[in-house]
Amino acid sequence: MYRYLEQRLAGRLLEFLKLHYPGASLPKVVIEPPPKVELGDFAIPVFPFAKPLRAAPLKIAEAIRAGVGPIEGIAEMQVAPPGYLNVKIDRAWMASALAADQEPPTSMAAGKILVEHTSINPNKAAHIGHLRNAILGDTFVRLLRYAGREVDIQNYIDNTGVQVADVVVGFTHIEKKSRVEIEALASQPRFDYYCWDLYARVSQWYAQDKENLKARSQTLHNIEDANSETAAIAEVISTAVLRRHLETMDRLDIEYDFLPRESEILHLHFWDAAFTKLKEAGVLTYEAQGKNKGCWVMRRAGTTSTTEGTGETEQSDQISEEDQKVIVRSNGTVGYVGKDIAYHMWKFGLLGRDFAYRKFYRYPNQHDCWISAMQGEKDHPHFGDVAEIYNVIDARQSEAQNTVIEALRGLGHNEAADHYTHFSYEMVALTPRCAAELGYTLSDEDKSRSYIEVSGRKGFGVKADDLLDQLIVSAKHEVDSRHPQLTDGERVSVATQIAIGALRYFMLKFTKQSVIAFDFKEALSFEGETGPYAQYAVVRAASIFKKAAIDPDTFFQDSSVSSVAFTKFLTGDNADEFWELWLAASKTSYIVNQCISTTEPAYLAKHAFQLAQLFNAFYHRHPILSETDESRKQFLLATVAIVRRELIRTLAVMGITVPPVM
RNA sequence: GGGCGCGUAGCUCAAACGGAUAGAGCACCGGAUUUCUAAUCCGGUGGUUGCAGGUUCGAUUCCUGCCGCGCCUACCA
């Protein structure tokens, strides 16, 4: 409701200003929450209007206040020095809207959105860095869906690249295993862990003797022949590891709709189609000499082609070597960026080709995840061909992402390029202390750093399943001591919900551009600004209703509950402490919208924490069930019901559920 | 060298679009409830927002320079 009121207010202000100051070029009306509740619920700084309107800020504010007229849902406006217009919400109006759970639909863009996230190389176990990606991506999907958008979730699978080849080398050259032996291993429970260790060994093996690197290039070459034994082995490994990744993410309630694989992008000739168009449009140029002789290159994103001195722009067939990004190697093979360009043309329906599809993984809720195939099933959902895309990919790849966007522009697809968002975030690294705890020996230089980058190649990192297991054990320990009357199964179930809440909250509380220096102590914490803190608030709210034998979900449908009666508690003396809760509860969709427009889910975590914090203080200060004034008791219960509802919603968007007890 | 980003309390982080007294959590110190379960609450200590200029009514936020740190800058992905 807060969002709805804000939009209504903004509209009326603009209307008023246009009418009373015709012709003046007006700056954007900024509406922000004031720093304190006493000041009001919306604040409009009017300083920016002083110059264009040739009037003092206070005069403008007063003119608006006096002239804008009544607005439904707004109680009053006050002018505050040195130049703010503070607006107070009609609390009775808001109380009734919240009690009725009204959220008027807002105008939003149409069209399907595609979110790509996770995209882990299928050659080893997922680690905490991948968790951040998947949790950010999954939460963003939930945000979009909460806002009413239709979303497809894709997880790109690079099953033909160097990383998979390296593990194939490990099995065939170091362990000298046959395909049958590998298949047997691949069906073991945590095959991805096996690959994790093997991958690290392969890197060492390469380092021991440069000659060993020949095995890599030979293997890479063999994988390209789809009918070879090597390709079959790669397929076994990458498919088994991929399945493990889906299982790991499934533990966190993260699902996908479609898994496009690089092998199909190659074998269904997506690249050939893209290559033709890129050459025709002049996006790619052939280098006849220099360091990139024999390659097809593109201008690196972010570089400009101005010639010194004249200031004239060169024709694009002259790119300095530094600014060249190799798309097609001199041996004719295409690199990752090229395949990504083809894939993104497909995403926007610009390629003129499509995958074949088959079912790959079924979730407990019966939802199917599809995978690309050479020959697929006849009936399948329609993927791709979307209006907007978001790619959840870490910041290290922003140059590659921008190169893909520039390629789309070069092809004349500006509309697509404008709707291409690289959802960029920073990596998860380990604190030196954490690295030491894991048994890694650190150089003195490393010890002095604030964080150390995770390295799959070195096997240096915290595996996703291990972290989740540890969180569950730790939560179970707490649950055991608090709820000995429950069965072990029930306690495991509660502990699992808490563990997921802690993990998902932990990954979302940091803003995207902040490097997370991972530390077990912090990640395993269930107190303070954590997921369990928010879950606990909901459990407390629920227990009040349980004891009162009232269903909080249908509380407001009871005819004896009247939101009109609440007004007296929201507007009298000392009402601000209650109003703060109602106001915060009204902001969920406002926050969701803010998260989407800034691609920053951290605001949602803040919102959950704020609601929980306000509730816990309220809970402590006001005994509810023992309240003797019946109308006051109803009001307090209503407050609990509203905050509980919004907190549950907010947590659900973060992918966090609330256990029955804690 | 070039590109991108970061630097805020002892530690980890907030403060979207420039706005009112820069806020949390952890840690530390001191308190609270024989209650709807303390995974809670209340209070306290803790800041020259890296440094120096500039822009303006107003700068943690924008601009310039410097210092420090990270990532990218492969015919890897």
Side-chain angles (χ1 to χ4, degrees):
Chain A
M1 284 316 293
Y2 187 83
R3 182 190 179 202
Y4 175 69
L5 273 186
E6 188 214 30
Q7 289 180 339
R8 181 187 279 176
L9 180 61
R12 289 294 293 274
L13 283 171
L14 204 64
E15 225 171 80
F16 173 83
L17 290 168
K18 272 187 187 158
L19 194 67
H20 289 259
Y21 303 96
S25 66
L26 299 168
K28 194 176 153 232
V29 180
V30 173
I31 301 182
E32 56 193 23
K36 292 203 159 193
V37 244
E38 303 91 84
L39 294 169
D41 306 307
F42 299 104
I44 301 134
V46 289
F47 311 100
F49 295 91
K51 225 170 216 172
L53 300 185
R54 304 175 145 277
L58 285 174
K59 285 215 164 139
I60 298 169
E62 177 53 30
I64 298 172
R65 192 198 66 76
V68 77
I71 303 173
E72 194 195 358
I74 302 297
E76 60 170 318
M77 295 190 183
Q78 287 170 344
V79 175
Y84 293 95
L85 185 60
N86 290 330
V87 179
K88 290 196 173 169
I89 290 173
D90 180 341
R91 297 184 180 184
W93 182 90
M94 179 63 97
S96 112
L98 277 174
D101 198 13
Q102 291 169 354
E103 188 69 45
T106 44
S107 60
M108 66 179 150
K112 196 191 250 191
I113 298 177
L114 194 164
V115 176
E116 176 192 336
H117 69 79
T118 306
S119 305
I120 311 170
N121 277 302
N123 75 324
K124 61 180 178 303
H127 59 63
I128 47 176
H130 302 124
L131 280 179
R132 186 178 196 184
N133 182 303
I135 290 169
L136 282 171
D138 181 65
T139 301
F140 198 66
V141 169
R142 290 168 190 263
L143 282 162
L144 290 168
R145 286 183 174 161
Y146 188 89
R149 300 297 303 265
E150 188 188 351
V151 186
D152 260 2
I153 311 160
Q154 301 199 359
N155 175 0
Y156 182 75
I157 310 300
D158 178 8
N159 60 340
T160 59
V162 175
Q163 295 213 23
V164 168
D166 281 345
V167 175
V168 172
V169 167
F171 278 114
T172 55
H173 288 71
I174 299 179
E175 302 211 318
K176 312 225 182 274
K177 290 226 180 338
S178 70
R179 177 168 152 192
V180 176
E181 288 172 304
I182 296 168
E183 275 170 353
L185 278 170
S187 63
Q188 296 292 307
R190 283 192 173 173
F191 176 63
D192 55 336
Y193 277 40
Y194 191 97
C195 292
W196 174 281
D197 295 329
L198 184 57
Y199 183 49
R201 282 168 61 200
V202 172
S203 302
Q204 284 178 347
W205 186 67
Y206 289 149
Q208 277 166 22
D209 188 349
K210 297 286 173 216
E211 279 294 297
N212 291 339
L213 280 167
K214 286 182 180 165
R216 171 195 270 177
S217 45
Q218 188 59 45
T219 299
L220 258 177
H221 183 74
N222 292 345
I223 287 176
E224 280 183 25
D225 176 4
N227 299 315
S228 69
E229 181 73 0
T230 310
I233 289 172
E235 168 87 14
V236 167
I237 295 167
S238 65
T239 303
V241 174
L242 167 59
R243 206 171 280 280
R244 282 272 38 249
H245 291 164
L246 296 191
E247 286 165 3
T248 300
M249 296 311 171
D250 197 7
R251 295 178 78 186
L252 293 162
D253 209 9
I254 296 172
E255 300 184 354
Y256 310 91
D257 297 315
F258 176 48
L259 313 168
R261 295 190 297 183
E262 192 168 85
S263 51
E264 274 72 39
I265 288 190
L266 282 172
H267 299 137
L268 292 170
H269 307 293
F270 276 31
W271 169 244
D272 297 340
F275 194 22
T276 307
K277 292 178 197 249
L278 289 164
K279 279 190 286 194
E280 278 171 9
V283 176
L284 292 184
T285 52
Y286 184 77
E287 280 298 298
Q289 53 198 328
K291 130 179 130 99
N292 294 325
K293 183 179 176 185
C295 298
W296 286 86
V297 304
M298 214 186 119
R299 173 170 294 288
R300 192 182 293 288
T303 62
T304 48
S305 52
T306 43
T307 312
E308 276 179 59
T310 62
E312 277 173 39
T313 302
E314 276 181 53
Q315 289 306 307
S316 58
D317 52 354
Q318 287 293 318
I319 312 170
S320 71
E321 269 185 13
E322 239 182 21
D323 294 344
Q324 290 174 6
K325 176 76 193 165
V326 172
I327 304 298
V328 181
R329 304 181 189 108
S330 56
N331 67 4
T333 60
V334 57
Y336 156 80
V337 176
K339 285 175 253 187
D340 224 22
I341 292 170
Y343 174 37
H344 283 87
M345 289 170 71
W346 171 84
K347 281 185 178 178
F348 283 111
L350 302 170
L351 190 67
R353 290 183 193 227
D354 198 4
F355 294 101
Y357 302 88
R358 61 183 170 82
K359 287 176 186 161
F360 181 72
Y361 190 92
R362 176 164 283 190
Y363 293 100
N365 62 9
Q366 303 305 303
H367 170 236
D368 281 309
C369 175
W370 295 72
I371 195 166
S372 62
M374 295 302 290
Q375 281 151 4
E377 298 172 29
K378 236 182 254 162
D379 294 321
H380 61 80
H382 181 62
F383 294 110
D385 201 8
V386 298
E388 288 178 61
I389 67 166
Y390 290 89
N391 291 344
V392 183
I393 300 174
D394 82 68
R396 287 170 289 194
Q397 293 194 46
S398 50
E399 191 182 275
Q401 285 289 299
N402 288 332
T403 303
V404 176
I405 294 173
E406 286 310 311
L408 288 173
R409 285 198 195 285
L411 288 164
H413 302 305
N414 280 312
E415 176 81 359
D418 290 342
H419 291 99
Y420 183 128
T421 305
H422 174 206
F423 186 115
S424 168
Y425 67 95
E426 272 295 347
M427 60 183 170
V428 181
L430 305 181
T431 61
R433 185 177 76 179
C434 178
E437 279 168 15
L438 290 168
Y440 297 100
T441 44
L442 303 173
S443 65
D444 286 342
E445 197 192 348
D446 279 344
K447 279 179 200 162
S448 67
R449 293 174 195 270
S450 56
Y451 57 82
I452 306 158
E453 198 174 345
V454 166
S455 166
R457 229 167 264 283
K458 292 177 188 159
F460 176 65
V462 176
K463 293 192 265 304
D465 281 313
D466 281 349
L467 175 59
L468 205 42
D469 290 345
Q470 273 199 54
L471 280 161
I472 292 170
V473 166
S474 178
K476 175 81 170 12
H477 188 74
E478 295 292 326
V479 178
D480 285 347
S481 68
R482 287 159 209 252
H483 302 286
Q485 80 287 1
L486 296 180
T487 66
D488 193 62
E490 287 168 330
R491 278 178 274 136
V492 168
S493 161
V494 170
T496 303
Q497 281 179 284
I498 293 170
I500 291 168
L503 178 56
R504 293 194 63 132
Y505 193 96
F506 178 79
M507 289 296 180
L508 293 169
K509 72 192 269 193
F510 302 93
T511 53
K512 293 177 303 176
Q513 76 276 6
S514 165
V515 175
I516 297 180
F518 181 85
D519 189 67
F520 280 106
K521 185 167 163 268
E522 245 188 285
L524 290 170
S525 167
F526 300 146
E527 289 168 18
E529 195 183 344
T530 66
Y533 176 91
Q535 289 172 314
Y536 185 61
V538 177
V539 169
R540 282 178 139 183
S543 77
I544 295 170
F545 279 95
K546 194 177 171 192
K547 199 134 191 170
I550 301 171
D551 179 357
D553 291 318
T554 57
F555 176 72
F556 291 107
Q557 287 155 29
D558 185 331
S559 57
S560 70
V561 175
S562 156
S563 61
V564 177
F566 302 152
T567 309
K568 113 176 148 183
F569 300 102
L570 285 171
T571 55
D573 287 340
N574 306 317
D576 278 355
E577 70 159 313
F578 300 125
W579 172 243
E580 258 192 296
L581 282 142
W582 289 71
L583 179 65
S586 77
K587 287 186 180 174
T588 306
S589 64
Y590 171 79
I591 302 287
V592 165
N593 184 52
Q594 188 177 321
C595 290
I596 292 171
S597 61
T598 57
T599 58
E600 180 51 271
Y603 298 127
L604 195 65
K606 268 280 177 296
H607 179 58
F609 181 62
Q610 205 210 340
L611 279 173
Q613 208 174 27
L614 284 169
F615 177 77
N616 275 327
F618 164 85
Y619 175 94
H620 181 260
R621 221 170 354 220
H622 304 285
I624 294 165
L625 298 179
S626 59
E627 176 59 53
T628 49
D629 178 338
E630 197 53 36
S631 72
R632 185 180 165 88
K633 183 173 174 180
Q634 285 255 304
F635 168 72
L636 295 175
L637 278 171
T639 306
V640 178
I642 292 291
V643 173
R644 173 188 168 275
R645 184 185 75 202
E646 295 304 320
L647 197 41
I648 287 174
R649 281 183 184 161
T650 303
L651 289 173
V653 178
M654 296 172 73
I656 297 172
T657 57
V658 179
V661 294
M662 274 183 81

